[in-house]
Amino acid sequence: MSIALTPDAGLNPGEAAKRNDLAQRKPYIAAKLARITEMEERGEISPIIRLEKSYLCNFTCTHCSAEYYMDRHLKKVFQIVDERRKIDLDDIRRISREADELGLARFVITGGEPLVMKDFDEVVAAIDPDRHYVITDTNGWFLDLAKAKHLKSIGVEKVQLSLDSMVEADHDAFRNKPGSYKRVMRAIDAAREAGLNLILSTVLVKGRAKTDEFRQMCEFAKAKGIGLYVSYAKPTGSCTEHPEFVIEKEDADIVRELEKEYPVFTHMTPSYGSFKGCITVKGIITITSTAEVTPCPYIDFSLGNLRETPLKEILARGMRNPWLGPHRPDCLIGEDPQFIKIHTERTQGRTHLPVPWGQGFSDHDSLQDE
């Protein structure tokens, strides 16, 4: 069985070629990806699943949204260790089956830095790269050509590689890692040579959209034929200590204009004719290392724990929630002052994140009366 995907299906020629290649190698996954539009037209959802099995990382990035999930933070700040049970390979296999039954098709292995995980290969196998399209985030430090070829051989299809400035010293300073810029540039070439699909990811802080450096990054992505995902700095994680990073509407408006000329996109960008607006639940969910499910990488309120509640019900909870389910043109955690205030108050001083179901989000208290 094979599926031909053409530009008529909403894909440009390059994307169509990639999908057709996938259809030859992994027809089951290609079929699921091709059905996403149909699912959305029926009112169903097909979120990307971000899997944060481990928060181990060789960087200490200034903007990290996962900082307060990390053991190093718990030990240093609170002098405690998170003793909640961590997800294991059996959990991942079960989650994979539940996702497959719902027609979901995409897993992103993230963290932390996934490539420091000793069991990375086993995690890919547990997700099942013959049933799901597997992506990994990485800061690029360990992604040389040999590693890139290995990732491709075990079933990883795509890499999202972090690059936060075209100025080497600025990137290294933002990442708090001398030499990281050179490693990213090496990783770009390695991923392309190994046949991995590749996108760059960059954090947009206030004012950066107006700089020559950011325009140079857009030009770089266009010249390389690589998509550039722009992640807005939001008032969560380490950025709670850097309010000066948080973008303003002007920054977002500039990026929207740049999308017309460059292969630049954000979580709010329409794709293949679909505009979800804020993608909470509808376009993405995150599974933490303790099996909690959050509606986006930057919202630290759980929708439930996958050891206690099936994935299907957790997604339904999210879609019932009036903050998360309905279409909204703005970013909930980045642009809604009321929600940001509630989120800040309810997460402040917490030694374990995310805030459990019932204490942040719940069916009885959806925060609307706050």
Side-chain angles (χ1 to χ4, degrees):
M1 172 184 174
S2 65
I3 298 171
L5 297 174
T6 69
D8 292 336
L11 305 173
N12 65 41
E15 291 167 333
K18 292 176 183 177
R19 291 285 184 95
N20 282 328
D21 172 66
L22 182 68
Q24 298 300 318
R25 295 182 292 107
K26 297 181 178 180
Y28 182 80
I29 295 174
K32 285 205 295 183
L33 291 171
R35 286 195 292 268
I36 290 175
T37 299
E38 296 174 13
M39 291 174 66
E40 292 178 347
E41 289 175 348
R42 293 195 301 267
E44 300 172 15
I45 60 172
S46 182
I48 295 169
I49 298 174
R50 298 176 71 256
L51 180 64
E52 297 177 339
K53 182 179 183 292
S54 168
Y55 298 109
L56 291 173
C57 191
N58 59 320
F59 283 20
T60 54
C61 298
T62 306
H63 63 288
C64 184
S65 63
E67 178 65 28
Y68 297 122
Y69 289 75
M70 295 183 178
D71 285 350
R72 70 180 180 214
H73 179 83
L74 294 171
K75 292 173 182 176
K76 178 180 178 181
V77 179
F78 301 109
Q79 299 301 309
I80 62 172
V81 176
D82 186 353
E83 295 179 348
R84 294 174 297 177
R85 182 183 160 201
K86 302 295 195 293
I87 55 175
D88 57 26
L89 296 176
D90 286 338
D91 292 321
I92 295 171
R93 293 184 189 100
R94 177 176 50 77
I95 292 166
S96 171
R97 289 193 297 271
E98 290 186 33
D100 190 40
E101 289 168 1
L102 295 172
L104 307 188
R106 297 162 293 177
F107 273 78
V108 180
I109 304 172
T110 184
E113 166 52 39
L115 298 189
V116 305
M117 294 165 50
K118 293 181 179 179
D119 60 351
F120 182 90
D121 291 17
E122 289 76 14
V123 170
V124 172
I127 292 171
D128 191 347
D130 288 324
R131 290 190 168 272
H132 296 286
Y133 190 85
V134 179
I135 307 160
T136 188
D137 288 342
T138 179
N139 56 40
W141 189 263
F142 298 107
L143 192 60
D144 58 13
L145 181 57
K147 187 68 171 181
K149 288 181 175 179
H150 176 72
L151 294 183
K152 182 72 173 179
S153 74
I154 63 173
V156 174
E157 295 290 338
K158 189 174 187 176
V159 168
Q160 181 168 309
L161 185 60
S162 298
L163 176 62
D164 285 311
S165 178
M166 293 304 295
V167 178
E168 181 173 352
D170 290 349
H171 172 88
D172 288 0
F174 197 63
R175 291 274 161 180
N176 292 313
K177 193 75 168 182
S180 59
Y181 178 88
K182 287 185 171 64
R183 295 282 186 117
V184 172
M185 291 301 165
R186 179 192 68 177
I188 290 171
D189 292 337
R192 288 159 64 89
E193 186 172 341
L196 289 163
N197 289 332
L198 175 66
I199 61 171
L200 298 177
S201 174
T202 195
V203 175
L204 192 77
V205 299
K206 185 166 68 174
R208 185 183 173 211
K210 294 182 282 188
T211 65
D212 290 340
E213 176 276 322
F214 186 68
R215 174 76 66 155
Q216 289 168 12
M217 182 171 288
C218 296
E219 294 278 5
F220 177 80
K222 185 175 182 178
K224 290 282 189 180
I226 304 170
L228 176 62
Y229 172 64
V230 179
S231 176
Y232 297 155
K234 302 177 182 69
T236 60
S238 293
C239 275
T240 57
E241 300 171 12
H242 293 278
E244 73 277 11
F245 285 173
V246 179
I247 71 160
E248 297 176 340
K249 184 177 184 299
E250 181 184 10
D251 300 290
D253 288 343
I254 292 171
V255 173
R256 278 189 279 270
E257 286 301 309
L258 290 171
E259 289 177 13
K260 299 174 183 178
E261 185 178 354
Y262 299 101
V264 174
F265 62 101
T266 73
H267 65 296
M268 301 290 288
T269 303
S271 60
Y272 308 136
S274 171
F275 177 51
K276 301 179 182 66
C278 187
I279 61 173
T280 50
V281 186
K282 301 174 285 293
I284 201 164
I285 59 169
T286 293
I287 300 173
T288 75
S289 67
T290 55
E292 301 287 346
V293 178
T294 65
C296 98
Y298 305 99
I299 294 178
D300 298 318
F301 291 174
S302 177
L303 293 171
N305 190 291
L306 285 167
R307 291 204 183 88
E308 303 165 357
T309 308
L311 178 60
K312 182 178 181 179
E313 172 56 23
I314 287 176
L315 293 178
R317 282 177 180 174
M319 293 303 291
R320 288 194 299 266
N321 187 287
W323 287 95
L324 306 173
H327 179 280
R328 56 182 300 150
D330 59 338
C331 173
L332 178 60
I333 188 61
E335 300 180 73
D336 190 306
Q338 182 187 10
F339 183 78
I340 292 170
K341 180 176 182 291
I342 294 168
H343 186 272
T344 301
E345 290 173 349
R346 295 197 181 186
T347 56
Q348 190 170 21
R350 287 268 178 174
T351 59
H352 298 90
L353 291 174
V355 178
W357 168 252
Q359 297 178 36
F361 290 129
S362 77
D363 274 333
H364 302 292
D365 174 14
S366 61
L367 312 182
Q368 289 294 84
D369 296 328
E370 296 292 332

